[in-house]
Amino acid sequence: MMRPNGSEPGRERRGSGGWADVLAHEQHLVAPGSEWRSALWAVASEQFNSAADRLDLDPQVRVRLLDPRRALTVNFPVRRDNGDIEIFTGYRVQHTLAIGPTKGGIRYAPGVSLGECAALALWMTIKCALLGLPFGGAKGGVRCDPTRLSPAELERLTRRYTSEIFPIIGPDRDIPAPDMATGEREMAWFMDTYSQQVGHGVPESVTGKPVVLGGTAGRQAATGLGVVFSLETLVERLGWRLAGQRVAIQGFGNVGAVVAGELSRRGASIVALADVAGGIVAPNGLDIDAVHAWVAEHRFLRGFPGAEPKTQNGVLEVPCDILIPAALEAQITAENAPRLQCRLVVEAANGPTTPEADRILTDRRINVLPDVLANAGGVTVSYLEWVQDQQKYFWDADEVAQRMRGQVLEALDRVLTLADERGVTWRMAAQMVAIQRFAEAARLRAVYP
Ligand code: GLU
């Protein structure tokens, strides 16, 4: 049956309010949903739609799932160190309110936009649902170049951004966390600003805080450790041995550096690494302790003795068994996917593979462990931090890591099992498991009023 505005009922995601007719006559109007437009939203929504197509979802439920439920855009002044006032734009997008409060990081980057936050918030919903966490997804950030702001300017920006989004955040509403260019320092300012507004300390208002403020043991290494736990088990299920695998990692920050250290400790050979300034390659394996010492002294990887220099993107194409993009979005594209020389891609970054590249990798039989599973150790430990803050009782790093490991491996098992049963990619299976869970929550809560 076709609706009056021409869309098929199964695919329809909006009310049939006659938009098609309105748009035909009013050229200056933008199509509903275009407020989320961004390259990343196109990727996230395509992944969602193709998984939703495979699930036999009630169209009445599906119509409620894709678009973010709530978004706040703020423009706010910040005093620079020289006395000038500058206006910054920030966002907070809450993707689904169906399952408890929302959860997701805050990033400072020049490319931050409403559409980028919307895509990342949708992925957070998928991640939380896949891991069985009692959260919907959220994401926020400020459009800025954090490398050009002094610590004092970053503090004023963080505090003002926190008070701008104050009306929609809180321990039972939306709990921020670190993301690109934010960490413990920013979370401490965030927690302090939130606490000043309500008049008492509220550690559970944010995760990724310093331990002394109610942070959890093991949060900083959590995302990297989660990558390693899932990879270890996956490799075993594939009948490989982790020891001796050649691994290339793009990114040597909070995630990439932890992954490199943990994998080399388990006997894997790290043949390539890259950071923002460029990459290094050593086909016989890098000494990761020596690399850490070099970076501590020289800030960047470049110039590391005995390794061949490569571009940041060049490391994606070196011969290896396991390729781990652990930096930015959209790194593996239709352009370079045909040249990858690995057997397995593990997405430690959010959204590193475009859908076209994904199809090329599937055709080339290169399996991809998707971001929503591979890097979910971070948000899982954030959940454990929030739980500890609420109960005012804290676990040690081992306890935290073991609880996280259990949750990540359970999700991995569900994904691999569904992928086998249905003959779909791991990404598709991960999306399907997650969508089923939050679709069920939306269905049971029904529509108010
Ligand atoms: N920013 C991280 C992510 O993309 C963590 C979010 C959180 O801990 O809430 O998963």
Side-chain angles (χ1 to χ4, degrees):
M1 179 191 84
M2 294 294 275
R3 299 274 166 101
N5 67 0
S7 62
E8 300 159 43
R11 290 287 303 179
E12 186 170 331
R13 293 192 298 279
R14 287 166 210 289
S16 46
W19 267 104
D21 292 346
V22 174
L23 288 172
H25 293 102
E26 303 281 349
Q27 299 298 329
H28 64 281
L29 288 181
V30 290
S34 58
E35 45 276 81
W36 316 120
R37 190 179 298 143
S38 71
L40 218 54
W41 177 254
V43 176
S45 55
E46 177 173 339
Q47 289 173 0
F48 174 93
N49 279 325
S50 47
D53 284 344
R54 281 190 181 252
L55 291 165
D56 198 15
L57 288 183
D58 175 351
Q60 300 278 345
V61 172
R62 180 175 169 159
V63 70
R64 295 157 54 198
L65 301 183
L66 177 64
D67 287 350
R69 274 296 304 280
R70 188 182 283 160
L72 181 63
T73 301
V74 291
N75 291 301
F76 56 92
V78 175
R79 196 180 305 277
R80 301 294 304 264
D81 290 341
N82 66 5
D84 287 353
I85 304 290
E86 247 176 64
I87 296 289
F88 288 84
T89 302
Y91 307 92
R92 186 71 183 169
V93 177
Q94 299 172 346
H95 178 258
T96 176
L97 309 181
I99 313 170
T102 47
K103 186 87 194 78
I106 286 170
R107 56 170 58 184
Y108 295 164
V112 170
S113 67
L114 185 62
E116 184 184 277
C117 290
L120 293 161
L122 168 54
W123 277 321
M124 287 307 302
T125 290
I126 299 288
K127 239 185 261 191
C128 293
L130 179 59
L131 269 288
L133 308 179
F135 299 131
K139 203 74 156 205
V142 179
R143 193 189 308 151
C144 66
D145 180 351
T147 63
R148 298 166 75 127
L149 296 170
S150 70
E153 290 169 336
L154 282 169
E155 179 174 352
R156 290 193 289 274
L157 178 136
T158 303
R159 289 185 179 280
R160 183 62 191 249
Y161 169 69
T162 308
S163 45
E164 292 290 334
I165 63 167
F166 182 77
I168 63 164
I169 56 171
D172 298 316
R173 294 175 176 214
D174 182 7
I175 307 118
D179 199 78
M180 274 162 57
T182 59
E184 284 195 351
R185 181 182 65 171
E186 287 73 18
M187 297 309 113
W189 292 331
F190 197 100
M191 178 261 183
D192 182 68
T193 308
Y194 184 89
S195 301
Q196 298 294 344
Q197 309 269 340
V198 297
H200 58 91
V202 189
E204 59 272 38
S205 58
V206 67
T207 61
K209 306 172 291 291
V211 170
V212 70
L213 295 179
T216 182
R219 173 65 184 86
Q220 204 145 1
T223 308
L225 215 50
V227 172
V228 173
F229 289 153
S230 49
L231 178 56
E232 241 176 354
T233 302
L234 177 64
V235 159
E236 218 171 89
R237 290 212 17 183
L238 293 172
W240 307 356
R241 270 167 45 85
L242 190 53
Q245 298 296 326
R246 293 163 307 152
V247 182
I249 306 173
Q250 186 202 39
F252 199 66
N254 207 7
V255 183
V258 171
V259 173
E262 293 290 330
L263 289 182
S264 92
R265 210 158 303 139
R266 286 161 171 79
S269 170
I270 313 299
V271 294
L273 286 172
D275 60 23
V276 280
I280 53 174
V281 178
N284 292 326
L286 291 155
D287 175 346
I288 298 303
D289 290 338
V291 172
H292 271 114
W294 176 267
V295 170
E297 195 179 334
H298 300 88
R299 192 161 168 222
F300 298 114
L301 294 162
R302 68 174 168 223
F304 181 74
E308 202 189 300
K310 263 270 183 280
T311 61
Q312 195 190 8
N313 278 343
V315 299
L316 299 171
E317 297 176 30
V318 303
C320 62
D321 300 297
I322 303 167
L323 173 65
I324 308 184
L328 299 167
E329 300 87 15
Q331 297 300 294
I332 303 175
T333 62
E335 196 274 320
N336 61 9
R339 296 194 301 273
L340 298 196
Q341 302 187 63
C342 58
R343 298 195 283 166
L344 173 67
V345 174
V346 176
E347 295 183 331
N350 287 316
T353 311
T354 65
E356 303 78 48
D358 222 13
R359 285 188 277 274
I360 295 169
L361 297 182
T362 306
D363 289 346
R364 293 188 58 204
R365 298 182 186 287
I366 298 174
N367 282 322
V368 179
L369 187 68
D371 47 5
V372 288
L373 180 54
N375 71 31
V379 68
T380 305
V381 172
S382 270
Y383 162 63
L384 297 171
E385 179 174 336
W386 180 76
V387 166
Q388 292 171 87
D389 286 337
Q390 308 259 10
Q391 67 186 11
K392 316 264 184 268
Y393 182 77
F394 291 85
W395 301 311
D396 63 21
D398 261 2
E399 171 91 42
V400 171
Q402 286 319 313
R403 284 176 186 268
M404 180 263 276
R405 184 170 183 272
Q407 278 187 264
V408 168
L409 295 190
E410 194 189 316
L412 177 71
D413 185 58
R414 292 184 63 159
V415 168
L416 298 182
T417 305
L418 184 71
D420 278 352
E421 273 170 25
R422 301 284 297 260
V424 295
T425 63
W426 298 334
R427 188 188 313 283
M428 177 69 81
Q431 293 268 339
M432 288 167 71
V433 170
I435 293 171
Q436 237 159 354
R437 193 173 266 168
F438 88 93
E440 181 64 358
R443 187 185 70 78
L444 291 169
R445 284 188 62 169
V447 174
Y448 170 85

